[in-house]
Amino acid sequence: MPPPADIVKVAIEWPGAFPKLMEIDQKKPLSAIIKEVCEGWSLGNHENFALQIADATNFYITEKNRNDIKNGSILRLTTSPYQTAVQLHERIQSSSMDAKLESLKDLANASRDITFAQEFINLDGISLLTQMVESGTERYQKLQKIMKPCFGDLLSFTLTAFVELMDHGIVSWDTFSVAFIKKIASYVNKSAMDTAVLQRSLAILESMVLNSQDLYHKVAQEITIGQLIPHLQGTDQDIQTYTVAVINALFLKAPEEKRQEMAHILAQKQLRSIILSNVIRSPNPINDEMAHQLYVLQVLTFNLLEDRMMTKMDPQDQAQRDIIFELRRIAFDVECDPNNSGSIEKRKSMYTRDYKKLGFINHVNPAVDFTQIPPGMLALDNMLYFARHHQDAYIRIVLENSSREDKHECPFGRSSIELTKMLCEILKVGELPSENCHDFHPMFFTHDRSFEEFFCICIQLLNKTWKEMRATSEDFNKVMQVVREQIMRALNLKPNSLDQFKSRLQNLSYTEILKIRQSERMNQEDFQSRPILELREKIQPEIMELIKQQRLNRLCDGTCFRKISSRRRQDKFWYCRLSPNHKVLHYGDLEESPQGEVPHDSLQDKLPVADIKAVITGKDCPHMKEKGALKQNKEVLELAFSVLYESDEYLNFIAPDKHEYSVWTDGLNALLGKEMTSDYTKSDMDTLLSMEMKLRLLDLENIQIPEAPPPIPKEPSNYDFVYDCN
């Protein structure tokens, strides 16, 4: 007979004694269990004791997390979180350096547990640590030369404990003084600082900037980009990552009017070339966190273009109109001196002719073409950059098209405007960076004007593709679709430089795109004749059932989900999976991302499928409504879903990627008897249906399938059929 579900068999340790095997009744109060354990070892004052998980985490067992105890767990009897907090609070103020160092080390380890952290914070522990950072270490400044390793460890453990305590989100970041910020900033500004201290200091500055607008201003006054850049020139990738993270945080939180100024400073300090040589082209592989920070920097840099992208041209602004005159002068090499140009009518006629050759939609007043936002003035900026920095290519494109027949010319002006708009869409200019994306492009770190250079390559590609397609003005949108496909396919190959990007495009000519499309069409062939459509309709329910079973099987395997925290580098995880009988969702917290399958019995929380009322997605999820502006971005919204059960209870998810999001929303909808509507299901349906159709039609290859069934033959004159079986 199996043991009762509420009884858990564990071993309990106590220093200096043999471990005790006992059964814990999960229905009994935890205090009663601790009292029973203390009495077994003749220990009084049981309220001063608590139970911990006896592993590297040393997490305290509380009424909230007691269901995490599994059969066979090893627990440890120890002093209660309050008693431990009081003891450490006293010990870290010891006058003995050795005692102080040991107690700070213990505090750094203990602070990872939220139960202990709450008790220590209640004793005003955060204030004590900040005071120690501000003034307590001053006593040891004179001893630094003699005791440098000890001083570094002392400060390192103090800052580690501070970071761990703040990570629980119990205390607001707005409470810290300028003196504390100055002290943390001073550790970053020093050239020869202990690595651990530098790392913690950078992490604290990043959190301050991201979590408080007031602290952003204080940190920005203490830290300059010039002081951060030397940390990128070392070989420690963790320090480099934290440094880029601080730069990104300062960039992200800077008021709009100061972002351009900050970008100018970054350009002056050659941040891009330092990152290129010391990080991207470093012999060490780039880890995911560094890739994420580089992606954020890339997004924030391109977002500086948003202002120009959303600025309409003022047709009455002479300075802006002069840019169009400059484009005309470079293309046709004519003097724009009005005194030598004859009558006003003649000049207007000449201008209109030239603007038509330049490919503007409005030949009389091209300024009107730039009133569309996006791309606004950004398109004109790109055109001028191309004309000035790639003059030969610019003149060749304009003259080449002006000498063609009207219907075959590729309009440079219109093409540039539409291409700029397309590139802004591809690079998502103006959107906030995603919290869990690390899709950066090395080639954008190889040039100070990478967007403009990107445009110059793409406008030449557009002209080349136009010629290859023998396009006319009616084909403009078709050409733009092909060019978009060429650019996206080249970007997906992750070229390391703009030259490499250009060579990738050389291999993606219009002919090659047609071959790729033909190949993809062959793999997803869609026959349209009536008999084939009838066969598809007959097969479709079988395929949908197959997809449903696959989704439910994946839910039975389970998925590890990440808990969103204020600091990305300390990810916390939880796991959820469906029981094999499809009746219960099992879930629970994990210490780290699992390497293999997580068994059901290790997931203590349960949610019966019968109790699920609905599946909610996107911005309607409760955990999306609560999130701050930094995290309210498109990417996270696309990965969020919640399960509503009982009256107002929710189980909230943020999927690791779009694939897992589709699997779980499809699977949960299938469990509720609803339709599976994800793009992933449509893709699977198309693929499986196409394969099944091809298999069934294999014997009919090269046979024409008629639109209508053949006529039924006449009945035979008699039915006296004879079969000679000999």
Side-chain angles (χ1 to χ4, degrees):
M1 183 177 176
D6 294 315
I7 302 298
V8 183
K9 294 182 178 181
V10 298
I12 299 180
E13 297 176 339
W14 173 250
F18 287 109
K20 181 181 290 187
L21 298 174
M22 68 177 293
E23 293 183 348
I24 291 179
D25 185 351
Q26 293 284 38
K27 290 182 179 177
K28 286 175 68 175
L30 195 57
S31 57
I33 294 168
I34 293 169
K35 183 179 179 181
E36 183 184 334
V37 174
C38 289
E39 288 172 351
W41 274 308
S42 304
L43 300 170
N45 298 326
H46 68 273
E47 62 275 3
N48 292 337
F49 291 91
L51 291 173
Q52 277 181 331
I53 299 286
D55 60 12
T57 62
N58 291 331
F59 283 171
Y60 284 98
I61 304 297
T62 64
E63 290 291 355
K64 288 183 179 179
N65 65 17
R66 62 185 297 176
N67 288 329
D68 293 345
I69 304 173
K70 310 173 187 66
N71 275 317
S73 294
I74 301 174
L75 308 182
R76 181 187 299 120
L77 185 67
T78 185
T79 52
S80 68
Y82 172 74
Q83 290 293 326
T84 307
V86 169
Q87 290 168 14
L88 284 172
H89 194 272
E90 292 173 2
R91 285 170 54 206
I92 62 175
Q93 299 179 72
S94 168
S95 57
S96 164
M97 278 290 287
D98 290 338
K100 196 181 191 77
L101 185 62
E102 196 61 35
S103 57
L104 282 168
K105 184 177 181 181
D106 292 342
L107 177 63
N109 288 326
S111 297
R112 289 179 297 172
D113 182 272
I114 191 168
T115 313
F116 169 84
Q118 186 68 67
E119 297 292 352
F120 190 79
I121 289 167
N122 289 344
L123 294 170
D124 215 12
I126 294 278
S127 295
L128 177 60
L129 290 177
T130 55
Q131 286 167 19
M132 289 172 64
V133 171
E134 287 174 31
S135 58
T137 53
E138 297 293 341
R139 295 162 51 197
Y140 308 108
Q141 294 293 329
K142 295 176 183 177
L143 302 174
Q144 273 196 65
K145 291 183 180 178
I146 306 168
M147 308 178 63
K148 191 168 183 181
C150 182
F151 175 76
D153 289 343
L154 190 79
L155 191 53
S156 169
F157 290 133
T158 305
L159 295 179
T160 302
F162 176 82
V163 168
E164 294 291 354
L165 290 167
M166 291 303 297
D167 193 37
H168 297 296
I170 300 168
V171 178
S172 167
W173 282 94
D174 286 310
T175 57
F176 298 107
S177 67
V178 174
F180 178 71
I181 297 167
K182 283 179 181 290
K183 186 61 68 173
I184 296 297
S186 72
Y187 301 142
V188 173
N189 294 340
K190 285 180 183 174
S191 56
M193 179 50 71
D194 182 82
T195 303
V197 172
L198 178 58
Q199 192 181 75
R200 305 297 186 280
S201 300
L202 288 166
I204 291 168
L205 290 177
E206 184 202 1
S207 294
M208 282 179 170
V209 172
L210 290 178
N211 287 287
S212 166
Q213 193 65 34
D214 184 45
L215 285 184
Y216 155 75
H217 293 293
K218 293 175 182 175
V219 171
Q221 288 174 352
E222 300 300 325
I223 290 288
T224 65
I225 300 300
Q227 290 161 337
L228 289 171
I229 284 199
H231 300 310
L232 290 171
Q233 294 170 318
T235 55
D236 188 321
Q237 191 168 124
D238 284 338
I239 296 294
Q240 291 174 327
T241 304
Y242 279 88
T243 304
V244 177
V246 173
I247 293 171
N248 284 338
L250 289 168
F251 213 148
L252 188 66
K253 288 296 180 177
E256 282 187 26
E257 64 274 11
K258 286 195 174 180
R259 284 183 192 163
Q260 292 287 354
E261 181 186 329
M262 188 173 172
H264 182 63
I265 294 168
L266 293 176
Q268 278 186 329
K269 299 293 181 183
Q270 297 185 318
L271 176 72
R272 178 199 58 76
S273 57
I274 289 169
I275 288 176
L276 182 66
S277 55
N278 293 281
V279 179
I280 296 174
R281 291 179 178 168
S282 163
N284 303 321
I286 294 174
N287 59 37
D288 284 350
E289 182 57 31
M290 175 56 93
H292 170 75
Q293 295 300 341
L294 292 176
Y295 152 78
V296 172
L297 182 60
Q298 174 186 295
V299 171
L300 295 176
T301 304
F302 283 140
N303 280 358
L304 294 170
L305 303 168
E306 184 182 12
D307 184 45
R308 294 294 282 173
M309 180 180 81
M310 301 307 290
T311 300
K312 291 183 179 181
M313 186 172 186
D314 179 3
Q316 306 306 316
D317 189 322
Q318 188 58 44
Q320 294 179 357
R321 292 172 65 190
D322 284 346
I323 299 175
I324 298 175
F325 286 136
E326 177 76 355
L327 289 173
R328 174 179 169 273
R329 184 192 65 75
I330 295 171
F332 303 112
D333 195 24
V334 294
E335 290 298 329
C336 295
D337 184 1
N339 297 324
N340 301 326
S341 300
S343 67
I344 294 173
E345 289 77 14
K346 188 177 179 183
R347 287 206 311 274
K348 281 185 177 178
S349 172
M350 184 175 65
Y351 289 167
T352 301
R353 185 194 66 213
D354 289 346
Y355 291 149
K356 184 180 180 184
K357 289 180 181 179
L358 279 168
F360 290 112
I361 297 171
N362 191 316
H363 305 153
V364 177
N365 186 7
V368 176
D369 288 14
F370 299 97
T371 55
Q372 173 196 349
I373 53 169
M377 289 295 291
L378 186 60
L380 188 59
D381 295 343
N382 282 339
M383 292 168 72
L384 184 63
Y385 181 90
F386 181 49
R388 284 179 173 170
H389 294 83
H390 300 270
Q391 198 170 111
D392 291 346
Y394 168 70
I395 293 170
R396 178 176 51 78
I397 286 175
V398 172
L399 296 183
E400 200 174 77
N401 285 293
S402 62
S403 62
R404 289 182 189 163
E405 297 176 47
D406 279 355
K407 65 175 184 176
H408 282 289
E409 65 182 9
C410 175
F412 173 72
R414 183 186 174 191
S415 299
S416 298
I417 292 166
E418 290 302 319
L419 179 64
T420 302
K421 184 180 177 183
M422 181 201 292
L423 297 184
C424 288
E425 289 170 3
I426 290 171
L427 298 176
K428 299 180 180 177
V429 174
E431 291 187 21
L432 277 173
S434 162
E435 197 178 70
N436 51 5
C437 179
H438 41 79
D439 184 27
F440 82 98
H441 293 280
M443 74 177 195
F444 291 129
F445 290 84
T446 62
H447 201 284
D448 288 328
R449 305 286 295 273
S450 59
F451 184 79
E452 290 89 338
E453 288 292 327
F454 185 44
F455 168 84
C456 293
I457 293 170
C458 294
I459 193 68
Q460 292 176 75
L461 166 75
L462 192 153
N463 192 61
K464 175 173 170 281
T465 302
W466 184 283
K467 287 190 287 185
E468 289 172 351
M469 291 178 69
R470 301 179 187 277
T472 61
S473 53
E474 289 82 13
D475 300 320
F476 187 85
N477 290 333
K478 289 180 185 176
V479 175
M480 294 304 292
Q481 287 171 8
V482 173
V483 169
R484 187 188 193 98
E485 188 173 343
Q486 289 171 313
I487 294 168
M488 291 301 294
R489 288 184 184 278
L491 282 177
N492 289 339
L493 296 170
K494 284 287 188 302
N496 290 319
S497 66
L498 290 162
D499 286 339
Q500 205 174 87
F501 173 69
K502 197 185 295 185
S503 66
R504 295 275 191 276
L505 289 175
Q506 293 293 332
N507 298 328
L508 285 168
S509 63
Y510 176 57
T511 309
E512 188 61 31
I513 291 292
L514 285 180
K515 287 178 184 175
I516 293 169
R517 285 180 175 180
Q518 181 66 20
S519 172
E520 289 174 352
R521 204 176 295 120
M522 290 292 287
N523 292 331
Q524 299 176 353
E525 197 144 9
D526 189 16
F527 302 110
Q528 294 300 321
S529 65
R530 194 162 62 85
I532 300 298
L533 293 175
E534 287 176 6
L535 181 60
R536 282 171 66 89
E537 286 176 17
K538 185 179 177 183
I539 296 171
Q540 209 156 335
E542 302 171 24
I543 302 293
M544 188 57 79
E545 184 61 29
L546 190 66
I547 294 171
K548 177 183 172 182
Q549 290 306 316
Q550 187 273 341
R551 298 293 190 269
L552 294 177
N553 289 342
R554 279 285 293 104
L555 262 60
C556 291
D557 292 339
T559 299
C560 177
F561 297 94
R562 183 168 62 86
K563 290 184 174 181
I564 299 294
S565 65
S566 59
R567 293 173 62 246
R568 294 186 73 260
R569 282 177 287 283
Q570 293 199 358
D571 286 348
K572 294 177 182 177
F573 302 93
W574 68 288
Y575 201 85
C576 187
R577 63 183 300 185
L578 180 66
S579 62
N581 62 6
H582 300 171
K583 292 189 176 179
V584 179
L585 283 175
H586 297 266
Y587 61 95
D589 291 345
L590 298 176
E591 295 308 321
E592 56 186 17
S593 184
Q595 299 303 313
E597 197 173 289
V598 176
H600 288 94
D601 55 9
S602 67
L603 304 171
Q604 298 299 317
D605 297 310
K606 298 178 182 179
L607 172 59
V609 171
D611 291 350
I612 298 177
K613 300 286 190 293
V615 178
I616 301 163
T617 60
K619 62 184 177 183
D620 297 326
C621 299
H623 58 314
M624 288 295 102
K625 293 176 183 175
E626 296 165 4
K627 293 173 74 59
L630 173 64
K631 295 170 186 175
Q632 277 284 20
N633 58 66
K634 188 178 175 184
E635 187 90 13
V636 175
L637 284 172
E638 286 178 350
L639 299 176
F641 62 98
S642 299
V643 171
L644 170 64
Y645 62 97
E646 291 180 0
S647 55
D648 250 341
E649 296 291 321
Y650 291 90
L651 189 59
N652 297 319
F653 300 76
I654 293 181
D657 51 49
K658 194 68 179 172
H659 178 270
E660 288 295 327
Y661 169 84
S662 300
V663 165
W664 275 86
T665 50
D666 283 345
L668 291 168
N669 280 323
L671 284 172
L672 299 179
K674 296 181 180 177
E675 190 177 349
M676 298 184 292
T677 56
S678 76
D679 293 339
Y680 182 42
T681 293
K682 291 172 187 170
S683 171
D684 280 356
M685 173 61 78
D686 290 343
T687 303
L688 293 171
L689 199 54
S690 175
M691 288 171 63
E692 185 65 22
M693 291 288 289
K694 287 176 182 178
L695 284 170
R696 296 203 183 192
L697 299 173
L698 207 56
D699 293 335
L700 296 177
E701 193 171 355
N702 297 324
I703 295 176
Q704 185 67 36
I705 298 172
E707 280 296 322
I712 298 171
K714 291 180 181 178
E715 291 188 11
S717 56
N718 63 68
Y719 291 89
D720 300 332
F721 302 120
V722 177
Y723 293 92
D724 188 356
C725 298
N726 296 323

